[in-house]
């Protein structure tokens, strides 16, 4: 019985972790989707807007993380690790 509990617990933790990771992306999608709806965009116009909106959000995140890494004077592997972590969080 105890042997079954460990894999079930690990599986539950993995599922929860993936749910939290998707939250930031889901929020971006919601925001961009709401803006597209306000503008009454449909079809190809909506697709183009959504792509541009999501890309702009990613670029803003990249600029912020890059500025933070520069302010901390990080270089090499430390900078790569910081950027990776920063981009995943925001």
């Amino acid at each position: 019985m105890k042997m079954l509990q460990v894999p079930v617990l690990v599986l539950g933790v993995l599922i929860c972790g993936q749910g939290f990771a998707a939250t930031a992306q889901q929020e971006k999608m919601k925001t961009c989707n709401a803006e597209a709806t306000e503008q009454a965009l449909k079809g190809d116009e909506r697709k183009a807007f959504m792509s541009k909106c999501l890309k702009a959000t990613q670029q803003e995140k990249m600029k912020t993380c890059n500025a933070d890494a520069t302010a901390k004077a990080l270089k090499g592997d430390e900078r790569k690790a910081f950027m990776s972590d920063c981009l995943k969080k925001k």
Side-chain angles (χ1 to χ4, degrees):
M1 184 70 169
K2 289 183 181 182
M3 294 297 289
L4 181 61
Q5 291 175 344
V6 173
V8 171
L9 179 63
V10 170
L11 182 61
V13 169
L14 289 173
I15 291 171
C16 289
Q18 289 176 347
F20 288 120
T23 303
Q25 181 66 23
Q26 288 172 344
E27 287 301 316
K28 289 181 218 169
M29 287 289 288
K30 284 180 187 177
T31 301
C32 292
N33 192 35
E35 289 178 30
T37 301
E38 284 177 16
Q39 296 177 24
L41 299 175
K42 296 185 181 191
D44 289 339
E45 287 180 337
R46 186 180 189 90
K47 287 179 188 177
F49 174 82
M50 290 294 289
S51 177
K52 185 178 178 182
C53 181
L54 292 171
K55 194 177 290 185
T57 304
Q58 182 65 22
Q59 288 172 344
E60 289 172 17
K61 183 190 322 183
M62 190 72 151
K63 285 179 184 178
T64 302
C65 291
N66 193 34
D68 291 347
T70 301
K72 294 179 180 186
L74 299 176
K75 297 186 188 252
D77 291 337
E78 287 181 339
R79 185 181 184 93
K80 287 179 187 177
F82 174 81
M83 289 295 289
S84 177
D85 188 48
C86 182
L87 292 169
K88 287 177 188 174
K89 287 181 180 177
K90 294 185 178 191

